[in-house]
Amino acid sequence: MPGAEEPGHSTTVSSTDFFESIGQKAGHLAPTTNGTNGVTPKGDDDEKVVEEIESLCMNCHENGTTRMLLTAIPYFREVILMSFSCDKCGFSNSEIQSAGTIQPKGSSYILRLTEMPDFERSVVKSDTAIVKFIELDLEVPAGRGQLTNVEGLLSTIIDDLELGQEARKEQAPEVHAKVDEIIQKGRAMLAGEAFPFRLSVDDPAGNSWITPNMRDGVGKWEKRDYVRTPEQNEALGLGAGDVVGNAQETADDDIIPDQVYEFPATCPGCMHPCTTNMKMVDIPHFKAVVLMSTVCTDCGYRSNDVKTGGEIPELGKKITLRVESAEDLARDILKSESCSLECPELNLQVNPGTLGGRFTTVEGLLTQVRNDLHNQIFETGTSEGGDSLSANERSQWTAFFEGIDAAIKGEKKFTIILTDPLASSYVQKAVDPDQEDPQMTTEDYERTEEEEEDLGLKDMKVEGYQEENAN
């Protein structure tokens, strides 16, 4: 018979039979249209899309109901949505867990919010993910998994901070004031009064997600996969022995890209021992650079720098970028130690070596220049400046900083000119690498004798020095 199963044969059920999309799950429900008027045909049983399990309520210790939905998020992976509710005390809770395995690499997402519709982006936060609102200087450690959007995520964090404010006001007034400042900034972000700002989701297990948009420009949505550290593997329950073995195998090899290395150093501020972190990053269509960061836990000293390697080119390079939109402000930019910066519209000029090496965005570079200059000019900590500034000088500096602030907010168009005699600086293109960016021009030039002298190239001898040393 056609309906009979042959002996010796088994039915194989794949994971896709359990983890279907929400739309497919809804399609399995009893039809209510197409001539059926909501009546299920005789002989058919309703398919149970949501599984219900009786479980103990941790609030009143009576029995409640846990509901589970096995589904798949498009362009992501399988997840389990769980919801608990207790009819006795009214307690409810919801959670999301990844139904897949731990991914081979960790994943990090950064979303730059510039308008109110960005709050509607869906966010999958697994129980191993760390969430950061960078401009808010707020970090949420790994904890309960969530399926929400950016608005819901930020609202939950702000609401949780407000819960203990009354107790903090009496027990720790200083902490209360700092937390209240964060709450006010968070409320301003939710109201759309603090654009732009960034959301970061870092998940060592690789099971978190921020929904992208096809219209996202350069620097709007970023995803980066990275190799987990031995500590992260151990926290995820992976074999520590295998991790140690892999580390020993690569100990004698070259520096591994995206791997963080630590080595001891001495703090230049207090001369106490500290740690310097080093990481090699491969910038697409440019070259590999080394990021270095030093943090002293004793005195709070912080520094970061970018080192470029490779041979010295025969010609220097000059890069000109016209910044006309918020997407241009989000372009990646690498300014080496030997590079000078100039913005004619802002009356800004930075000499080589002033800021050191920096790998950031156009907005981040301008912000750092602005903050450094402001601290040097207005040393009193007020916007009026010191007593040595005359009224004319104070008004000129005020107008200067207002122009930079307008450029950082995207309210003023300007031009960035990077002149690097070592050709070690870089600006990200907004088009394909093999195409010409209409807003950016690059040109090679011959170094001047003064630049050769400053870089020590005239005294450098790379050929025939063995014979001289032998004599």
Side-chain angles (χ1 to χ4, degrees):
M1 294 178 64
E5 294 185 0
E6 297 181 5
H9 291 268
S10 60
T11 303
T12 303
V13 181
S14 64
S15 61
T16 55
D17 296 329
F18 294 105
F19 296 93
E20 298 178 328
S21 66
I22 295 290
Q24 292 173 327
K25 290 282 188 182
H28 296 325
L29 296 174
T32 56
T33 55
N34 299 330
T36 62
N37 295 325
V39 180
T40 304
K42 293 183 178 180
D44 291 346
D45 295 330
D46 291 347
E47 181 172 346
K48 207 168 186 180
V49 176
V50 178
E51 297 291 336
E52 295 186 357
I53 302 173
E54 187 176 0
S55 55
L56 179 66
C57 175
M58 302 307 296
N59 187 43
C60 66
H61 303 289
E62 298 289 339
N63 286 336
T65 304
T66 296
R67 295 175 175 85
M68 294 193 305
L69 173 65
L70 282 65
T71 184
I73 298 178
Y75 309 108
F76 186 48
R77 56 181 60 93
E78 296 86 2
V79 296
I80 300 176
L81 303 179
M82 296 184 294
S83 174
F84 174 82
S85 62
C86 179
D87 297 335
K88 310 297 189 302
C89 65
F91 176 76
S92 62
N93 188 17
S94 60
E95 187 176 351
I96 181 174
Q97 289 187 0
S98 173
T101 58
I102 296 176
Q103 305 306 309
K105 292 184 177 181
S107 60
S108 175
Y109 296 87
I110 294 181
L111 174 65
R112 189 172 186 270
L113 290 90
T114 57
E115 54 185 353
M116 293 302 292
D118 291 336
F119 281 110
E120 301 174 4
R121 301 283 187 107
S122 297
V123 178
V124 177
K125 174 190 172 296
S126 74
D127 54 0
T128 58
I130 298 175
V131 174
K132 296 180 183 177
F133 284 91
I134 300 176
E135 280 71 18
L136 196 58
D137 197 16
L138 179 64
E139 176 178 321
V140 181
R144 182 174 60 90
Q146 289 179 276
L147 174 59
T148 179
N149 55 19
V150 178
E151 181 181 5
L153 186 63
L154 182 55
S155 299
T156 302
I157 295 173
I158 298 302
D159 292 341
D160 290 345
L161 288 176
E162 288 182 335
L163 286 178
Q165 276 296 82
E166 293 298 328
R168 294 191 194 100
K169 189 174 183 180
E170 298 178 359
Q171 301 172 2
E174 296 181 358
V175 177
H176 171 271
K178 293 180 180 179
V179 174
D180 186 67
E181 182 180 353
I182 295 176
I183 293 174
Q184 297 302 324
K185 290 182 180 178
R187 293 298 181 191
M189 288 179 174
L190 289 172
E193 301 172 356
F195 290 130
F197 61 92
R198 292 166 293 172
L199 166 64
S200 169
V201 178
D202 189 346
D203 188 0
N207 289 323
S208 295
W209 172 257
I210 298 179
T211 304
N213 192 302
M214 295 298 295
R215 297 188 299 272
D216 288 343
V218 177
K220 179 75 172 180
W221 180 92
E222 297 179 6
K223 177 189 177 184
R224 179 180 64 86
D225 294 329
Y226 61 89
V227 179
R228 286 186 289 268
T229 63
E231 292 79 8
Q232 290 173 330
N233 278 319
E234 186 175 356
L236 293 174
L238 301 179
D242 297 337
V243 176
V244 174
N246 294 335
Q248 291 175 350
E249 292 176 3
T250 58
D252 297 332
D253 295 339
D254 295 335
I255 298 177
I256 303 175
D258 294 328
Q259 179 72 38
V260 178
Y261 295 87
E262 297 182 356
F263 53 89
T266 301
C267 174
C270 64
M271 303 306 293
H272 286 181
C274 62
T275 302
T276 295
N277 296 324
M278 182 180 71
K279 178 180 179 180
M280 186 173 73
V281 178
D282 188 11
I283 301 178
H285 314 292
F286 184 55
K287 64 169 73 171
V289 299
V290 177
L291 307 180
M292 303 186 70
S293 173
T294 302
V295 178
C296 179
T297 57
D298 292 330
C299 68
Y301 173 81
R302 293 172 177 264
S303 70
N304 56 79
D305 203 355
V306 180
K307 304 291 184 182
T308 56
E311 63 179 1
I312 297 177
E314 296 182 358
L315 300 175
K317 179 173 288 187
K318 183 177 182 180
I319 304 175
T320 303
L321 172 67
R322 297 194 306 275
V323 181
E324 300 177 349
S325 63
E327 286 73 17
D328 295 329
L329 288 171
R331 294 193 191 213
D332 290 336
I333 184 170
L334 170 62
K335 178 197 170 297
S336 70
E337 290 181 322
S338 58
C339 178
S340 63
L341 169 68
E342 184 180 358
C343 298
E345 295 84 356
L346 305 179
N347 296 320
L348 175 64
Q349 185 172 358
V350 180
N351 295 327
T354 302
L355 294 175
R358 289 290 181 269
F359 181 38
T360 178
T361 61
V362 174
E363 178 185 355
L365 186 62
L366 276 183
T367 301
Q368 185 171 15
V369 172
R370 190 259 183 209
N371 293 340
D372 290 350
L373 285 175
H374 193 275
N375 292 336
Q376 294 176 12
I377 301 303
F378 300 110
E379 297 179 355
T380 61
T382 64
S383 60
E384 298 300 325
D387 296 336
S388 60
L389 286 179
S390 62
N392 187 27
E393 290 177 336
R394 187 180 296 112
S395 62
Q396 290 179 355
W397 280 114
T398 301
F400 171 77
F401 287 118
E402 288 177 352
I404 294 184
D405 291 338
I408 293 174
K409 295 177 182 178
E411 300 173 355
K412 184 175 183 178
K413 298 180 180 180
F414 62 97
T415 305
I416 284 185
I417 303 174
L418 300 177
T419 305
D420 192 346
L422 295 181
S424 297
S425 297
Y426 160 84
V427 177
Q428 181 185 21
K429 286 186 176 182
V431 296
D432 292 337
D434 56 346
Q435 297 180 356
E436 294 292 334
D437 193 328
Q439 295 177 224
M440 186 171 67
T441 58
T442 60
E443 57 177 304
D444 298 329
Y445 71 95
E446 293 187 3
R447 287 185 288 265
T448 62
E449 292 187 2
E450 183 179 356
E451 289 175 335
E452 296 269 353
E453 184 70 27
D454 292 340
L455 295 173
L457 299 179
K458 284 192 172 184
D459 300 330
M460 187 181 299
K461 189 171 185 179
V462 296
E463 295 179 355
Y465 55 86
Q466 298 93 339
E467 291 79 3
E468 292 184 2
N469 291 335
N471 297 331

PDB file of all heavy atoms in Angstrom, residues 97-127:
ATOM      1  N   GLN A  97      17.561  31.558  23.846  1.00  0.00           N
ATOM      2  CA  GLN A  97      18.781  30.760  23.879  1.00  0.00           C
ATOM      3  C   GLN A  97      19.108  30.292  22.475  1.00  0.00           C
ATOM      4  O   GLN A  97      18.209  30.027  21.665  1.00  0.00           O
ATOM      5  CB  GLN A  97      18.640  29.551  24.805  1.00  0.00           C
ATOM      6  CG  GLN A  97      18.601  29.885  26.280  1.00  0.00           C
ATOM      7  CD  GLN A  97      18.620  28.642  27.144  1.00  0.00           C
ATOM      8  OE1 GLN A  97      18.657  27.522  26.639  1.00  0.00           O
ATOM      9  NE2 GLN A  97      18.579  28.837  28.454  1.00  0.00           N
ATOM     10  N   SER A  98      20.391  30.201  22.203  1.00  0.00           N
ATOM     11  CA  SER A  98      20.818  29.697  20.903  1.00  0.00           C
ATOM     12  C   SER A  98      20.641  28.193  20.869  1.00  0.00           C
ATOM     13  O   SER A  98      21.020  27.474  21.797  1.00  0.00           O
ATOM     14  CB  SER A  98      22.276  30.065  20.642  1.00  0.00           C
ATOM     15  OG  SER A  98      22.733  29.441  19.457  1.00  0.00           O
ATOM     16  N   ALA A  99      20.047  27.692  19.788  1.00  0.00           N
ATOM     17  CA  ALA A  99      19.858  26.251  19.630  1.00  0.00           C
ATOM     18  C   ALA A  99      20.996  25.622  18.844  1.00  0.00           C
ATOM     19  O   ALA A  99      21.049  24.408  18.686  1.00  0.00           O
ATOM     20  CB  ALA A  99      18.536  25.965  18.931  1.00  0.00           C
ATOM     21  N   GLY A 100      21.901  26.438  18.343  1.00  0.00           N
ATOM     22  CA  GLY A 100      23.027  25.922  17.582  1.00  0.00           C
ATOM     23  C   GLY A 100      24.232  25.698  18.468  1.00  0.00           C
ATOM     24  O   GLY A 100      24.200  25.851  19.686  1.00  0.00           O
ATOM     25  N   THR A 101      25.303  25.313  17.841  1.00  0.00           N
ATOM     26  CA  THR A 101      26.548  25.070  18.562  1.00  0.00           C
ATOM     27  C   THR A 101      27.344  26.360  18.690  1.00  0.00           C
ATOM     28  O   THR A 101      27.031  27.374  18.046  1.00  0.00           O
ATOM     29  CB  THR A 101      27.390  24.028  17.817  1.00  0.00           C
ATOM     30  OG1 THR A 101      27.652  24.513  16.484  1.00  0.00           O
ATOM     31  CG2 THR A 101      26.649  22.707  17.727  1.00  0.00           C
ATOM     32  N   ILE A 102      28.364  26.341  19.516  1.00  0.00           N
ATOM     33  CA  ILE A 102      29.275  27.480  19.623  1.00  0.00           C
ATOM     34  C   ILE A 102      30.026  27.625  18.304  1.00  0.00           C
ATOM     35  O   ILE A 102      30.574  26.657  17.780  1.00  0.00           O
ATOM     36  CB  ILE A 102      30.253  27.278  20.799  1.00  0.00           C
ATOM     37  CG1 ILE A 102      29.477  27.244  22.122  1.00  0.00           C
ATOM     38  CG2 ILE A 102      31.300  28.373  20.826  1.00  0.00           C
ATOM     39  CD1 ILE A 102      30.350  26.951  23.318  1.00  0.00           C
ATOM     40  N   GLN A 103      30.040  28.828  17.780  1.00  0.00           N
ATOM     41  CA  GLN A 103      30.638  29.064  16.471  1.00  0.00           C
ATOM     42  C   GLN A 103      32.162  28.967  16.540  1.00  0.00           C
ATOM     43  O   GLN A 103      32.770  29.148  17.596  1.00  0.00           O
ATOM     44  CB  GLN A 103      30.217  30.438  15.944  1.00  0.00           C
ATOM     45  CG  GLN A 103      28.712  30.634  15.893  1.00  0.00           C
ATOM     46  CD  GLN A 103      28.014  29.533  15.120  1.00  0.00           C
ATOM     47  OE1 GLN A 103      28.396  29.233  13.986  1.00  0.00           O
ATOM     48  NE2 GLN A 103      26.998  28.928  15.717  1.00  0.00           N
ATOM     49  N   PRO A 104      32.822  28.663  15.406  1.00  0.00           N
ATOM     50  CA  PRO A 104      34.288  28.546  15.413  1.00  0.00           C
ATOM     51  C   PRO A 104      34.997  29.817  15.873  1.00  0.00           C
ATOM     52  O   PRO A 104      36.083  29.743  16.441  1.00  0.00           O
ATOM     53  CB  PRO A 104      34.622  28.223  13.947  1.00  0.00           C
ATOM     54  CG  PRO A 104      33.372  27.650  13.381  1.00  0.00           C
ATOM     55  CD  PRO A 104      32.249  28.326  14.099  1.00  0.00           C
ATOM     56  N   LYS A 105      34.390  30.978  15.631  1.00  0.00           N
ATOM     57  CA  LYS A 105      34.997  32.245  16.029  1.00  0.00           C
ATOM     58  C   LYS A 105      33.969  33.102  16.759  1.00  0.00           C
ATOM     59  O   LYS A 105      32.754  32.936  16.576  1.00  0.00           O
ATOM     60  CB  LYS A 105      35.534  33.018  14.811  1.00  0.00           C
ATOM     61  CG  LYS A 105      36.719  32.375  14.133  1.00  0.00           C
ATOM     62  CD  LYS A 105      37.239  33.255  13.008  1.00  0.00           C
ATOM     63  CE  LYS A 105      38.467  32.660  12.353  1.00  0.00           C
ATOM     64  NZ  LYS A 105      38.987  33.529  11.261  1.00  0.00           N
ATOM     65  N   GLY A 106      34.452  34.011  17.567  1.00  0.00           N
ATOM     66  CA  GLY A 106      33.578  34.994  18.177  1.00  0.00           C
ATOM     67  C   GLY A 106      33.176  36.048  17.162  1.00  0.00           C
ATOM     68  O   GLY A 106      33.778  36.177  16.089  1.00  0.00           O
ATOM     69  N   SER A 107      32.153  36.820  17.484  1.00  0.00           N
ATOM     70  CA  SER A 107      31.670  37.850  16.571  1.00  0.00           C
ATOM     71  C   SER A 107      31.430  39.149  17.336  1.00  0.00           C
ATOM     72  O   SER A 107      31.021  39.124  18.499  1.00  0.00           O
ATOM     73  CB  SER A 107      30.379  37.419  15.871  1.00  0.00           C
ATOM     74  OG  SER A 107      29.363  37.158  16.808  1.00  0.00           O
ATOM     75  N   SER A 108      31.707  40.250  16.667  1.00  0.00           N
ATOM     76  CA  SER A 108      31.517  41.570  17.248  1.00  0.00           C
ATOM     77  C   SER A 108      30.758  42.436  16.251  1.00  0.00           C
ATOM     78  O   SER A 108      31.141  42.507  15.069  1.00  0.00           O
ATOM     79  CB  SER A 108      32.875  42.207  17.591  1.00  0.00           C
ATOM     80  OG  SER A 108      32.700  43.529  18.059  1.00  0.00           O
ATOM     81  N   TYR A 109      29.691  43.077  16.717  1.00  0.00           N
ATOM     82  CA  TYR A 109      28.870  43.938  15.867  1.00  0.00           C
ATOM     83  C   TYR A 109      28.915  45.366  16.406  1.00  0.00           C
ATOM     84  O   TYR A 109      28.916  45.576  17.619  1.00  0.00           O
ATOM     85  CB  TYR A 109      27.409  43.466  15.839  1.00  0.00           C
ATOM     86  CG  TYR A 109      27.194  42.099  15.238  1.00  0.00           C
ATOM     87  CD1 TYR A 109      27.284  40.956  16.025  1.00  0.00           C
ATOM     88  CD2 TYR A 109      26.900  41.948  13.894  1.00  0.00           C
ATOM     89  CE1 TYR A 109      27.086  39.699  15.490  1.00  0.00           C
ATOM     90  CE2 TYR A 109      26.691  40.696  13.341  1.00  0.00           C
ATOM     91  CZ  TYR A 109      26.783  39.574  14.136  1.00  0.00           C
ATOM     92  OH  TYR A 109      26.593  38.340  13.594  1.00  0.00           O
ATOM     93  N   ILE A 110      28.934  46.326  15.490  1.00  0.00           N
ATOM     94  CA  ILE A 110      28.841  47.737  15.855  1.00  0.00           C
ATOM     95  C   ILE A 110      27.803  48.391  14.942  1.00  0.00           C
ATOM     96  O   ILE A 110      27.896  48.306  13.715  1.00  0.00           O
ATOM     97  CB  ILE A 110      30.194  48.462  15.728  1.00  0.00           C
ATOM     98  CG1 ILE A 110      31.196  47.912  16.741  1.00  0.00           C
ATOM     99  CG2 ILE A 110      30.017  49.972  15.943  1.00  0.00           C
ATOM    100  CD1 ILE A 110      32.551  48.599  16.689  1.00  0.00           C
ATOM    101  N   LEU A 111      26.805  49.019  15.554  1.00  0.00           N
ATOM    102  CA  LEU A 111      25.776  49.745  14.816  1.00  0.00           C
ATOM    103  C   LEU A 111      25.859  51.220  15.185  1.00  0.00           C
ATOM    104  O   LEU A 111      25.831  51.564  16.367  1.00  0.00           O
ATOM    105  CB  LEU A 111      24.388  49.199  15.141  1.00  0.00           C
ATOM    106  CG  LEU A 111      23.205  49.957  14.538  1.00  0.00           C
ATOM    107  CD1 LEU A 111      23.230  49.859  13.015  1.00  0.00           C
ATOM    108  CD2 LEU A 111      21.876  49.444  15.085  1.00  0.00           C
ATOM    109  N   ARG A 112      25.966  52.071  14.185  1.00  0.00           N
ATOM    110  CA  ARG A 112      26.024  53.517  14.401  1.00  0.00           C
ATOM    111  C   ARG A 112      24.629  54.102  14.151  1.00  0.00           C
ATOM    112  O   ARG A 112      24.144  54.113  13.020  1.00  0.00           O
ATOM    113  CB  ARG A 112      27.045  54.156  13.462  1.00  0.00           C
ATOM    114  CG  ARG A 112      27.346  55.629  13.750  1.00  0.00           C
ATOM    115  CD  ARG A 112      28.509  56.091  12.883  1.00  0.00           C
ATOM    116  NE  ARG A 112      28.933  57.422  13.208  1.00  0.00           N
ATOM    117  CZ  ARG A 112      28.457  58.529  12.644  1.00  0.00           C
ATOM    118  NH1 ARG A 112      27.518  58.427  11.722  1.00  0.00           N
ATOM    119  NH2 ARG A 112      28.899  59.718  12.988  1.00  0.00           N
ATOM    120  N   LEU A 113      23.968  54.545  15.211  1.00  0.00           N
ATOM    121  CA  LEU A 113      22.600  55.051  15.112  1.00  0.00           C
ATOM    122  C   LEU A 113      22.635  56.532  14.763  1.00  0.00           C
ATOM    123  O   LEU A 113      23.283  57.329  15.442  1.00  0.00           O
ATOM    124  CB  LEU A 113      21.845  54.845  16.428  1.00  0.00           C
ATOM    125  CG  LEU A 113      21.493  53.389  16.771  1.00  0.00           C
ATOM    126  CD1 LEU A 113      22.610  52.736  17.570  1.00  0.00           C
ATOM    127  CD2 LEU A 113      20.178  53.317  17.540  1.00  0.00           C
ATOM    128  N   THR A 114      21.922  56.887  13.698  1.00  0.00           N
ATOM    129  CA  THR A 114      21.897  58.271  13.234  1.00  0.00           C
ATOM    130  C   THR A 114      20.487  58.829  13.089  1.00  0.00           C
ATOM    131  O   THR A 114      20.320  60.024  12.870  1.00  0.00           O
ATOM    132  CB  THR A 114      22.613  58.385  11.878  1.00  0.00           C
ATOM    133  OG1 THR A 114      21.983  57.493  10.926  1.00  0.00           O
ATOM    134  CG2 THR A 114      24.090  58.012  12.008  1.00  0.00           C
ATOM    135  N   GLU A 115      19.456  57.971  13.188  1.00  0.00           N
ATOM    136  CA  GLU A 115      18.077  58.427  13.035  1.00  0.00           C
ATOM    137  C   GLU A 115      17.152  57.509  13.825  1.00  0.00           C
ATOM    138  O   GLU A 115      17.542  56.406  14.237  1.00  0.00           O
ATOM    139  CB  GLU A 115      17.680  58.455  11.556  1.00  0.00           C
ATOM    140  CG  GLU A 115      17.908  57.138  10.838  1.00  0.00           C
ATOM    141  CD  GLU A 115      17.630  57.242   9.355  1.00  0.00           C
ATOM    142  OE1 GLU A 115      17.128  58.301   8.931  1.00  0.00           O
ATOM    143  OE2 GLU A 115      17.880  56.272   8.630  1.00  0.00           O
ATOM    144  N   MET A 116      15.905  57.949  14.037  1.00  0.00           N
ATOM    145  CA  MET A 116      14.963  57.222  14.876  1.00  0.00           C
ATOM    146  C   MET A 116      14.649  55.815  14.356  1.00  0.00           C
ATOM    147  O   MET A 116      14.509  54.887  15.160  1.00  0.00           O
ATOM    148  CB  MET A 116      13.667  58.023  15.033  1.00  0.00           C
ATOM    149  CG  MET A 116      13.830  59.321  15.821  1.00  0.00           C
ATOM    150  SD  MET A 116      14.472  59.057  17.494  1.00  0.00           S
ATOM    151  CE  MET A 116      13.091  58.211  18.252  1.00  0.00           C
ATOM    152  N   PRO A 117      14.520  55.585  13.033  1.00  0.00           N
ATOM    153  CA  PRO A 117      14.246  54.204  12.577  1.00  0.00           C
ATOM    154  C   PRO A 117      15.329  53.206  12.969  1.00  0.00           C
ATOM    155  O   PRO A 117      15.050  51.997  12.983  1.00  0.00           O
ATOM    156  CB  PRO A 117      14.162  54.352  11.044  1.00  0.00           C
ATOM    157  CG  PRO A 117      13.720  55.764  10.824  1.00  0.00           C
ATOM    158  CD  PRO A 117      14.383  56.545  11.912  1.00  0.00           C
ATOM    159  N   ASP A 118      16.518  53.663  13.298  1.00  0.00           N
ATOM    160  CA  ASP A 118      17.578  52.735  13.713  1.00  0.00           C
ATOM    161  C   ASP A 118      17.242  52.039  15.026  1.00  0.00           C
ATOM    162  O   ASP A 118      17.766  50.957  15.311  1.00  0.00           O
ATOM    163  CB  ASP A 118      18.908  53.472  13.851  1.00  0.00           C
ATOM    164  CG  ASP A 118      19.459  53.928  12.511  1.00  0.00           C
ATOM    165  OD1 ASP A 118      19.087  53.307  11.496  1.00  0.00           O
ATOM    166  OD2 ASP A 118      20.246  54.886  12.482  1.00  0.00           O
ATOM    167  N   PHE A 119      16.370  52.645  15.842  1.00  0.00           N
ATOM    168  CA  PHE A 119      15.972  52.016  17.099  1.00  0.00           C
ATOM    169  C   PHE A 119      15.158  50.742  16.864  1.00  0.00           C
ATOM    170  O   PHE A 119      15.000  49.921  17.768  1.00  0.00           O
ATOM    171  CB  PHE A 119      15.143  52.979  17.948  1.00  0.00           C
ATOM    172  CG  PHE A 119      15.961  53.997  18.694  1.00  0.00           C
ATOM    173  CD1 PHE A 119      15.921  55.334  18.337  1.00  0.00           C
ATOM    174  CD2 PHE A 119      16.790  53.624  19.734  1.00  0.00           C
ATOM    175  CE1 PHE A 119      16.673  56.283  19.009  1.00  0.00           C
ATOM    176  CE2 PHE A 119      17.547  54.551  20.418  1.00  0.00           C
ATOM    177  CZ  PHE A 119      17.497  55.881  20.055  1.00  0.00           C
ATOM    178  N   GLU A 120      14.625  50.566  15.642  1.00  0.00           N
ATOM    179  CA  GLU A 120      13.792  49.403  15.353  1.00  0.00           C
ATOM    180  C   GLU A 120      14.622  48.193  14.925  1.00  0.00           C
ATOM    181  O   GLU A 120      14.048  47.119  14.669  1.00  0.00           O
ATOM    182  CB  GLU A 120      12.781  49.755  14.256  1.00  0.00           C
ATOM    183  CG  GLU A 120      11.865  50.916  14.629  1.00  0.00           C
ATOM    184  CD  GLU A 120      10.975  51.337  13.473  1.00  0.00           C
ATOM    185  OE1 GLU A 120      11.035  50.668  12.406  1.00  0.00           O
ATOM    186  OE2 GLU A 120      10.228  52.321  13.614  1.00  0.00           O
ATOM    187  N   ARG A 121      15.934  48.325  14.831  1.00  0.00           N
ATOM    188  CA  ARG A 121      16.779  47.189  14.436  1.00  0.00           C
ATOM    189  C   ARG A 121      16.663  46.068  15.467  1.00  0.00           C
ATOM    190  O   ARG A 121      16.807  46.293  16.675  1.00  0.00           O
ATOM    191  CB  ARG A 121      18.238  47.617  14.327  1.00  0.00           C
ATOM    192  CG  ARG A 121      18.518  48.743  13.331  1.00  0.00           C
ATOM    193  CD  ARG A 121      18.510  48.234  11.912  1.00  0.00           C
ATOM    194  NE  ARG A 121      18.938  49.297  10.999  1.00  0.00           N
ATOM    195  CZ  ARG A 121      20.115  49.321  10.390  1.00  0.00           C
ATOM    196  NH1 ARG A 121      20.999  48.363  10.603  1.00  0.00           N
ATOM    197  NH2 ARG A 121      20.430  50.306   9.568  1.00  0.00           N
ATOM    198  N   SER A 122      16.427  44.856  15.007  1.00  0.00           N
ATOM    199  CA  SER A 122      16.342  43.709  15.908  1.00  0.00           C
ATOM    200  C   SER A 122      17.720  43.353  16.451  1.00  0.00           C
ATOM    201  O   SER A 122      18.731  43.455  15.748  1.00  0.00           O
ATOM    202  CB  SER A 122      15.754  42.498  15.176  1.00  0.00           C
ATOM    203  OG  SER A 122      14.434  42.763  14.748  1.00  0.00           O
ATOM    204  N   VAL A 123      17.759  42.942  17.708  1.00  0.00           N
ATOM    205  CA  VAL A 123      19.003  42.562  18.374  1.00  0.00           C
ATOM    206  C   VAL A 123      18.801  41.209  19.048  1.00  0.00           C
ATOM    207  O   VAL A 123      17.851  41.021  19.805  1.00  0.00           O
ATOM    208  CB  VAL A 123      19.425  43.609  19.437  1.00  0.00           C
ATOM    209  CG1 VAL A 123      20.699  43.157  20.149  1.00  0.00           C
ATOM    210  CG2 VAL A 123      19.623  44.966  18.798  1.00  0.00           C
ATOM    211  N   VAL A 124      19.677  40.269  18.724  1.00  0.00           N
ATOM    212  CA  VAL A 124      19.721  38.987  19.418  1.00  0.00           C
ATOM    213  C   VAL A 124      20.938  39.022  20.340  1.00  0.00           C
ATOM    214  O   VAL A 124      22.068  39.082  19.876  1.00  0.00           O
ATOM    215  CB  VAL A 124      19.828  37.807  18.436  1.00  0.00           C
ATOM    216  CG1 VAL A 124      19.945  36.493  19.203  1.00  0.00           C
ATOM    217  CG2 VAL A 124      18.634  37.770  17.512  1.00  0.00           C
ATOM    218  N   LYS A 125      20.687  39.005  21.643  1.00  0.00           N
ATOM    219  CA  LYS A 125      21.762  39.021  22.630  1.00  0.00           C
ATOM    220  C   LYS A 125      21.765  37.673  23.340  1.00  0.00           C
ATOM    221  O   LYS A 125      20.836  37.337  24.067  1.00  0.00           O
ATOM    222  CB  LYS A 125      21.543  40.149  23.648  1.00  0.00           C
ATOM    223  CG  LYS A 125      22.550  40.145  24.796  1.00  0.00           C
ATOM    224  CD  LYS A 125      22.130  41.117  25.878  1.00  0.00           C
ATOM    225  CE  LYS A 125      23.012  40.995  27.103  1.00  0.00           C
ATOM    226  NZ  LYS A 125      22.889  39.664  27.763  1.00  0.00           N
ATOM    227  N   SER A 126      22.813  36.898  23.098  1.00  0.00           N
ATOM    228  CA  SER A 126      22.897  35.599  23.759  1.00  0.00           C
ATOM    229  C   SER A 126      23.367  35.770  25.194  1.00  0.00           C
ATOM    230  O   SER A 126      23.749  36.876  25.618  1.00  0.00           O
ATOM    231  CB  SER A 126      23.851  34.682  22.992  1.00  0.00           C
ATOM    232  OG  SER A 126      25.197  35.063  23.209  1.00  0.00           O
ATOM    233  N   ASP A 127      23.358  34.675  25.948  1.00  0.00           N
ATOM    234  CA  ASP A 127      23.746  34.763  27.357  1.00  0.00           C
ATOM    235  C   ASP A 127      25.249  34.911  27.551  1.00  0.00           C
ATOM    236  O   ASP A 127      25.715  35.041  28.681  1.00  0.00           O
ATOM    237  CB  ASP A 127      23.238  33.543  28.121  1.00  0.00           C
ATOM    238  CG  ASP A 127      23.676  32.235  27.476  1.00  0.00           C
ATOM    239  OD1 ASP A 127      24.374  32.295  26.444  1.00  0.00           O
ATOM    240  OD2 ASP A 127      23.319  31.164  27.985  1.00  0.00           O
TER     241      ASP A 127
END
